[in-house]
Amino acid sequence: MDYRRSYIRDLLASEPPMKASAYGWVKTRRDSKGVSFVQLNDGSCFADLQVVIQEGAIPESELRRVTTGACVRFDGMLVQSPASGQAVELQATTLEVYGDADPASYPMQKKGASFEFLREIAHLRVRGNTFGAVFRVRNELSWATHKFFKDRGFMYVHTPIISASDAEGAGAMFQVTTLDLENVPRVDGKVDYSQDFFGRQAFLTVSGQLNVEAFAQAFTNVYTFGPTFRAENSNTPRHLAEFWMIEPEQAFCDITGNMNLAEDFLKYLVSHVLDHCRADLEFFNQRIEPTVLETLHHVAESPFERITYTDAIKLLEASGEPFEFPVFWGCDLQSEHERYLTEKKIGRPVIVTDYPKEIKAFYMKLNDDERTVRAMDVLAPRIGEIIGGSQREERYDVLVSRMKELSLPEEPYSWYLDLRKYGAAPHSGFGLGLERMMMYVTGMKNIRDVIPFYRVPGSAEF
Ligand code: ATP
Ligand code: MN
């Protein structure tokens, strides 16, 4: 195979006429008098390459194999296209079929197949327009994340996926064990985890934060970006059992610095996709969610609103909206509340700070009022909470008494407490769920459609 093969993206940007080979998967073939048109795509960009085959240029017995889904190569001349809608087309003279796709059974031929149906063929849906666009955007968001932090001097840290801290309070956890579930060893009626693989109970991580905090206390500005797991049985369009989280942590940084970083980061990601995924975003805007481009420009350009939880509750109480969940000081903000604030009341992203300590994690810094903590959640129109973060409690005694209040065992956190015993810097950080960001950027309504192979209660196929 020619090692200098070009992506279709590059062919579409080339200066015709020139000899070219085009590799890819057939989207469609259309035959008219004396000529066939093939739309070819290799995933490198939204646009297909139009391949034109004059009658007789390729033997009919071979051309017959060019059906939707087939994997092929065409060689020929790239020329200026006489048709509108594309700059160039390939006048093909030879064809090689690498893999046929039987039209009687290939499942990706139906136009307008539902997203539900496409989830059942997640291994093939990636060849279609929508999922091509989704995963190109996902790639750009991931790359832009690393670029953003690298350019600002942050160190990338690989935090562990298996964790023994058994109650970070972030959500239910998956247990990791090699014990024989048919025959679990017991002492005094309880499971004897000393016989388990790690000599203790272990779980899949719900967040890399606690580990990344240790690195912030040595390298100042750090971040982790990896898979996280939650065994919460919430079958919603916004929750996955396995998702990717981006978690920066900064030493010598208070909640204001943390909010600034979160806002800069979201704006950077949005500007990056606007610059690098134009055609894909235009598709989302046309076919998925008509406000995508407008809201992205809005986010990139306007400053985020910043309000305290207490003021947010006042706004909600004064709203006169018929909320399903009652609003009172101390209540956890539900999606409907978050969306009212960011969509109806304020009309752009909002950062809500200083939540009641009862509804936030133990590691958040206690305010002087002793009722609220230095939490900050970024709420975005259409999806609600997109980022959750805080300034961390760096005072040893306060942290220990918070853990006591919540009946958290000290032993699994002894290393975390050490970070407060020895040279503790004030520090802050946050978590951005990559898939929530994907939903925001693409307008896709179900989180299962923005991750390559989704894991949710009752389903871990592929
Ligand atoms: P939610 O209230 O939406 O369940 P959370 O309060 O549990 O979120 P955090 O523990 O603060 O969320 O996690 C940080 C970020 O991770 C969230 O802001 C969100 O972007 C993302 N996130 C949390 N849970 C999930 C999930 N089950 N699937 C996908 N993304 C998630
Ligand atoms: Mn949750």
Side-chain angles (χ1 to χ4, degrees):
M1 220 168 282
D2 180 6
Y3 66 93
R4 282 182 301 165
R5 116 190 127 70
S6 300
Y7 289 113
I8 282 174
R9 177 186 59 217
D10 300 324
L11 292 179
L12 291 174
S14 322
E15 282 289 314
M18 59 178 246
K19 280 170 82 176
S21 299
Y23 298 74
W25 292 267
V26 175
K27 280 263 179 73
T28 57
R29 189 188 86 208
R30 186 163 54 82
D31 302 316
S32 64
K33 275 193 285 335
V35 57
S36 295
F37 299 98
V38 173
Q39 298 299 120
L40 195 67
N41 193 283
D42 65 355
S44 60
C45 61
F46 188 84
D48 302 320
L49 175 68
Q50 170 151 289
V51 181
V52 182
I53 304 122
Q54 303 296 341
E55 193 170 346
I58 289 168
E60 181 51 36
S61 59
E62 281 298 291
L63 195 56
R64 269 203 350 252
R65 297 169 65 192
V66 178
T67 58
T68 299
C71 179
V72 301
R73 186 192 79 235
F74 287 104
D75 308 314
M77 281 301 279
L78 196 72
V79 299
Q80 243 174 347
S81 176
S84 70
Q86 69 225 2
V88 297
E89 62 187 32
L90 186 74
Q91 293 279 351
T93 46
T94 49
L95 160 69
E96 175 156 2
V97 177
Y98 296 112
D100 297 282
D102 182 1
S105 61
Y106 182 60
M108 278 293 292
Q109 346 185 47
K110 265 202 325 206
K111 281 251 179 262
S114 70
F115 288 144
E116 286 79 7
F117 169 73
L118 292 172
R119 273 173 222 144
E120 292 168 20
I121 50 165
H123 58 308
L124 295 173
R125 69 176 181 173
V126 285
R127 298 189 196 175
N129 283 338
T130 305
F131 291 93
V134 163
F135 293 113
R136 276 186 299 274
V137 169
R138 190 177 166 111
N139 174 54
E140 287 298 333
L141 282 180
S142 306
W143 191 86
T145 293
H146 288 301
K147 173 135 175 67
F148 175 86
F149 289 115
K150 169 79 177 153
D151 287 351
R152 280 158 189 76
F154 282 62
M155 177 190 274
Y156 175 34
V157 184
H158 297 123
T159 49
I161 286 173
I162 297 175
S163 159
S165 315
D166 62 352
E168 281 172 31
M173 291 188 284
F174 290 101
Q175 194 168 339
V176 177
T177 180
T178 52
L179 291 179
D180 177 2
L181 296 182
E182 304 286 352
N183 187 17
V184 174
R186 290 180 182 273
V187 270
D188 306 330
K190 289 199 168 150
V191 178
D192 180 9
Y193 285 109
S194 71
Q195 294 189 43
D196 203 349
F197 189 88
F198 299 105
R200 61 184 304 163
Q201 252 185 311
F203 305 90
L204 293 180
T205 186
V206 292
S207 152
Q209 182 201 316
L210 301 192
N211 299 93
V212 94
E213 279 187 51
F215 270 63
Q217 299 289 348
F219 300 99
T220 309
N221 290 342
V222 299
Y223 71 107
T224 180
F225 180 6
T228 48
F229 306 85
R230 304 220 175 153
E232 47 200 7
N233 200 353
S234 45
N235 237 317
T236 80
R238 302 164 53 246
H239 289 91
L240 292 164
E242 177 181 286
F243 64 100
W244 284 64
M245 191 133 71
I246 300 154
E247 294 174 282
E249 190 75 32
Q250 290 178 282
F252 316 111
C253 179
D254 64 8
I255 193 172
T256 307
N258 204 24
M259 288 193 280
N260 294 343
L261 184 72
E263 181 168 345
D264 287 352
F265 180 43
L266 285 180
K267 289 191 150 100
Y268 182 90
L269 290 181
V270 164
S271 305
H272 182 89
V273 290
L274 282 170
D275 288 347
H276 292 88
C277 306
R278 253 298 143 170
D280 294 321
L281 293 181
E282 267 157 23
F283 168 82
F284 291 123
N285 203 64
Q286 254 171 37
R287 301 287 296 276
I288 304 293
E289 168 57 55
T291 63
V292 156
L293 282 175
E294 186 194 319
T295 34
L296 291 182
H297 282 293
H298 202 51
V299 168
E301 285 144 28
S302 47
F304 293 6
E305 183 79 18
R306 298 178 183 194
I307 60 172
T308 64
Y309 169 89
T310 302
D311 287 341
I313 292 296
K314 285 182 192 152
L315 291 177
L316 291 166
E317 281 173 340
S319 70
E321 292 277 314
F323 293 121
E324 185 188 335
F325 295 89
V327 175
F328 55 92
W329 198 96
C331 76
D332 205 353
L333 294 186
Q334 302 293 329
S335 191
E336 55 172 350
H337 307 140
E338 297 174 341
R339 294 190 59 171
Y340 169 79
L341 288 171
T342 176
E343 286 169 21
K344 290 204 184 154
K345 186 67 201 173
I346 293 165
R348 55 204 164 93
V350 186
I351 311 183
V352 181
T353 61
D354 303 293
Y355 285 72
K357 63 177 179 183
E358 286 77 16
I359 58 172
K360 288 294 179 185
F362 73 96
Y363 50 72
M364 297 189 181
K365 187 174 173 106
L366 192 63
N367 281 317
D368 291 341
D369 65 11
E370 301 206 343
R371 303 171 71 206
T372 58
V373 289
R374 302 244 79 183
M376 54 141 235
D377 282 2
V378 183
L379 315 181
R382 281 207 321 268
I383 57 166
E385 179 189 333
I386 188 164
I387 281 181
S390 65
Q391 182 167 347
R392 319 305 189 189
E393 184 57 77
E394 82 272 22
R395 295 165 296 183
Y396 181 86
D397 297 338
V398 182
L399 188 58
V400 169
S401 76
R402 281 289 289 140
M403 290 175 64
K404 286 217 175 80
E405 269 173 46
L406 296 166
S407 321
L408 285 177
E410 267 186 47
E411 190 273 326
Y413 295 104
S414 63
W415 66 270
Y416 188 68
L417 288 167
D418 270 357
L419 299 175
R420 276 72 182 166
K421 254 192 221 160
Y422 307 117
H427 62 295
S428 303
F430 62 80
L432 168 68
L434 177 65
E435 290 76 17
R436 296 277 175 89
M437 187 61 188
M438 277 294 296
M439 292 172 77
Y440 192 61
V441 167
T442 60
M444 295 293 286
K445 305 291 184 297
N446 194 310
I447 200 165
R448 297 165 198 212
D449 296 333
V450 295
I451 190 164
F453 300 100
Y454 65 90
R455 275 86 181 88
V456 294
S459 171
E461 264 188 86
F462 308 104

